[in-house]
Amino acid sequence: MTAEQHSSNTSEVPVIPVVIIGAGPVGVTAALLLARRGVRSLVLERHHDVYPLPRALVADDEARRILQAVGVGEEFAAMARPGNGLRLLDARHRVMAEFRRSEHGPHGYPQTSMFEQPALERVLRDALARRPECELRGGAEVTGIEPDTEGPVRVTYRDDAGEHHLRADAVLGCDGANSLTREAIGAAWEDLRFEERWTVVDVRTTADVRCWEGVDQVCDPDRPATFMRVGADSYRWEFRLRDGQEQPVRELVAPWLPRSYDGDFEVVRESAYTFRARIADRWRSGRVFLLGDAAHLTPPFIGQGLCTGLRDAYNLTWKLARVLRQGGDERLLDTYESERKPHARHVIRLAVAMGWAMTGGQDGAAALRRRLLAVACRIPGLTTAAGGNLSPPLTAGPLVRRGIRRGLVGTHCPQPWVDADGRPTRLDELLGDAFTVLTAAEPSPSLRALAHGLGVRAVSVSGLGDDGTLAAWLRAGRAAAVLLRPDRVVMDLVPAGGRDFTDTAAWAALLHTARSPFPSPPTVEKSPLRSAAR
């Protein structure tokens, strides 16, 4: 009998650097990102295997860049198909507006990609199995989380072998909408005023389905609907049905099928869901954090649910690794919620606005809103602008040194193909996982000294062989150089004609400290559950 299994003596309970609750895409992505920075983690998942039915279906180019960062970019490319974007249709399925998405977004990928979540989860778990820093335990239900601002977090879980006790330097709650972690830190939902019951239908068929290879939103107040092709023969329909209203699937999807079609038609899933818009009022207590659906719920109308959770993981993990491994200031962790919460709120509001555009609402102003929507869709240039990047810049803060003019700070650096020893390589692969000083010309001695002090590279864009993309980006942002964070967000810049970053003193103190993080005893030895739980 191991100490881990049954000891209640705190000194004998093993300490894990990071415990992640939930092995969905967000939780496993967080584990892989931590592993790349040398941080060990244990992922606890109450189910034994991947949930087999499709849920999330859409990834944007920023999400794909994150998947690239965890090492599954090529595998995801093999399963994904680019999407044209979004169309708004009226009740008779006539096109009101098209919001086109590019096949070459600023992050280096199509701005919309369609995929099936179970396939992505298997790819992520396979990558997890290859990392010695990660362990996944399936069939492990977390029953208790006790945040402690002064030391390790106490975690209790049970499985077929009984009850287990752990301590963790940090706990990441990736445990979904009914999160135990959210309850443990005393967080409550803030209702952003959207709640509707919809029926979700996933189908496989070889029929010649009427499809534009993007997402269709039917703006019909009597029966709003969403439709998209997911794979070669797989499709998703979503319908809002009034209370008590029922109709066979074949009748609901008839407008998209050939007339009198009687061939193969497999309903993979037909489920009722309540689409909600909510955000947790707090995302952290001590070293316990909320990510993904545990922190925010968004209606699916702009395909940002999973993308928002992956951004959470990318934002938090490099900061947590710096605190745990490099003695970064604890205040660095405060920036997770202050950066991600306003960003998530913006995305949720966009999704709610699209939901209202589809349904028009049910109050007396519904007809007026629908007429205004139809007029707005005819304004030149509006649909092009609306089809742009759905991810806004981060708000100003300790790690986003934005002045009066917003410029590049808080935005992402684009990711073009560059030349690496004669072979084409994506920019992030060349730069690695650390901070980078990116300069328009050869770095000055002061910039080289700063880069050396940070322990990062100073790279001139002039020799990267990227066809001038980065030079043009710096020029448009009136920057001689930028400091890129590990998540590729511009943290600070040297203005054109300047010599130094605008506010080095403000952020340097967060990244460097003489204080050592509280140490972790050796992590628990390899569990016999490891291979069985994959």
Side-chain angles (χ1 to χ4, degrees):
M1 182 180 301
T2 68
E4 177 196 352
Q5 290 173 325
H6 290 291
S7 173
S8 59
N9 186 336
T10 301
S11 64
E12 297 179 9
V13 175
V15 176
I16 310 296
V18 179
V19 168
I20 299 172
I21 304 173
V26 174
V28 177
T29 293
L32 290 169
L33 289 168
L34 288 169
R36 289 176 69 97
R37 293 172 171 84
V39 178
R40 294 183 61 86
S41 65
L42 172 65
V43 184
L44 300 176
E45 168 57 49
R46 63 191 181 96
H47 298 293
H48 285 280
D49 201 357
V50 170
Y51 184 71
L53 298 179
R55 287 173 291 176
L57 300 172
V58 181
D60 62 14
D61 54 329
E62 186 180 343
R64 291 196 60 170
R65 190 174 188 174
I66 297 170
L67 294 175
Q68 172 194 333
V70 303
V72 300
E74 292 185 6
E75 291 92 333
F76 186 81
M79 73 176 70
R81 54 190 298 131
N84 283 335
L86 172 70
R87 292 194 310 188
L88 299 184
L89 310 181
D90 65 14
R92 296 171 60 184
H93 288 212
R94 296 174 300 188
V95 177
M96 299 168 62
E98 287 186 2
F99 303 94
R100 286 275 177 174
R101 306 285 278 166
S102 171
E103 289 194 23
H104 305 285
H107 294 280
Y109 295 97
Q111 287 185 295
T112 298
S113 296
M114 316 302 296
F115 70 98
E116 294 186 349
Q117 183 172 330
L120 170 61
E121 290 199 36
R122 293 187 186 97
V123 164
L124 287 169
R125 290 196 184 193
D126 287 346
L128 194 77
R130 296 191 293 268
R131 301 293 312 212
E133 304 91 344
C134 307
E135 180 179 352
L136 169 63
R137 297 186 188 177
E141 182 177 2
V142 175
T143 57
I145 305 163
E146 298 178 52
D148 189 336
T149 58
E150 301 299 324
V153 182
R154 292 180 289 275
V155 177
T156 304
Y157 73 95
R158 62 170 175 253
D159 59 15
D160 293 341
E163 188 172 82
H164 309 259
H165 303 277
L166 299 171
R167 291 185 296 157
D169 291 343
V171 171
L172 309 188
C174 307
D175 45 347
N178 299 316
S179 170
L180 174 68
T181 314
R182 189 177 60 252
E183 179 181 340
I185 69 170
W189 282 128
E190 176 189 348
D191 191 347
L192 299 183
R193 299 184 178 181
F194 187 94
E195 183 169 323
E196 291 186 347
R197 292 282 291 175
W198 285 62
T199 294
V200 177
V201 180
D202 291 295
V203 166
R204 292 193 182 277
T205 179
T206 57
D208 185 17
V209 178
R210 183 162 57 85
C211 177
W212 84 301
E213 300 301 337
V215 178
D216 277 344
Q217 305 278 23
V218 181
C219 302
D220 179 358
D222 293 323
R223 182 170 296 165
T226 304
F227 164 69
M228 69 203 78
R229 181 201 293 269
V230 181
D233 64 346
S234 57
Y235 303 85
R236 161 77 57 88
W237 281 271
E238 298 167 355
F239 300 95
R240 194 198 70 187
L241 302 180
R242 297 184 186 277
D243 292 341
Q245 186 181 39
E246 295 184 5
Q247 194 168 350
V249 169
R250 287 296 291 268
E251 292 183 15
L252 289 171
V253 305
W256 288 272
L257 294 177
R259 290 188 177 183
S260 304
Y261 178 75
D262 61 357
D264 66 306
F265 188 87
E266 177 190 0
V267 178
V268 177
R269 178 182 60 158
E270 180 184 3
S271 300
Y273 282 88
T274 301
F275 294 161
R276 294 184 172 93
R278 293 179 176 178
I279 193 164
D281 62 352
R282 59 187 301 199
W283 292 25
R284 178 192 180 196
S285 175
R287 290 279 187 86
V288 181
F289 303 86
L290 303 180
L291 294 82
D293 286 354
H296 42 73
L297 297 175
T298 178
F301 305 120
I302 58 173
Q304 286 292 298
L306 175 61
C307 301
T308 306
L310 294 181
R311 292 188 191 106
D312 296 343
Y314 208 22
N315 184 288
L316 175 60
T317 50
W318 74 263
K319 300 170 182 176
L320 184 58
R322 196 166 189 95
V323 171
L324 295 180
R325 298 271 299 174
Q326 298 174 267
D329 194 292
E330 191 80 11
R331 291 175 299 163
L332 190 63
L333 301 177
D334 294 335
T335 66
Y336 166 61
E337 180 175 344
S338 65
E339 290 182 353
R340 287 295 309 135
K341 189 174 181 181
H343 195 279
R345 185 187 297 274
H346 173 86
V347 169
I348 294 170
R349 284 176 170 166
L350 282 179
V352 169
M354 182 59 70
W356 280 107
M358 290 176 63
T359 66
Q362 304 304 315
D363 57 22
L368 174 61
R369 280 196 293 271
R370 287 194 294 276
R371 287 196 295 271
L372 291 175
L373 173 65
V375 171
C377 288
R378 293 194 292 269
I379 297 175
L382 179 63
T383 55
T384 300
N389 188 6
L390 297 175
S391 179
L394 295 182
T395 54
L399 299 179
V400 179
R401 306 312 301 172
R402 180 177 295 153
I404 298 175
R405 287 185 298 184
R406 303 181 72 170
L408 299 180
V409 175
T411 69
H412 283 87
C413 172
Q415 183 182 210
W417 288 91
V418 298
D419 183 277
D421 297 326
R423 64 181 182 86
T425 303
R426 294 187 186 274
L427 176 66
D428 291 357
E429 301 298 330
L430 177 70
L431 300 183
D433 295 322
F435 284 84
T436 300
V437 176
L438 206 60
T439 65
E442 285 302 312
S444 66
S446 62
L447 284 182
R448 288 193 182 277
L450 176 62
H452 179 75
L454 287 173
V456 304
R457 300 170 62 188
V459 178
S460 170
V461 303
S462 59
L464 291 180
D466 66 332
D467 295 329
T469 298
L470 293 170
W473 173 69
L474 290 171
R475 189 165 53 251
R478 299 180 181 180
V482 293
L483 178 59
L484 299 182
R485 306 180 342 177
D487 56 5
R488 302 308 175 222
V489 171
V490 177
M491 187 163 84
D492 202 349
L493 60 76
V494 178
R499 298 176 57 86
D500 299 305
F501 288 102
T502 62
D503 202 3
T504 306
W507 47 259
L510 293 181
L511 303 181
H512 294 278
T513 178
R515 179 194 61 79
S516 297
F518 57 78
S520 298
T523 55
V524 63
E525 64 184 24
K526 186 173 180 179
S527 167
L529 293 174
R530 184 177 179 89
S531 60
R534 297 291 175 185

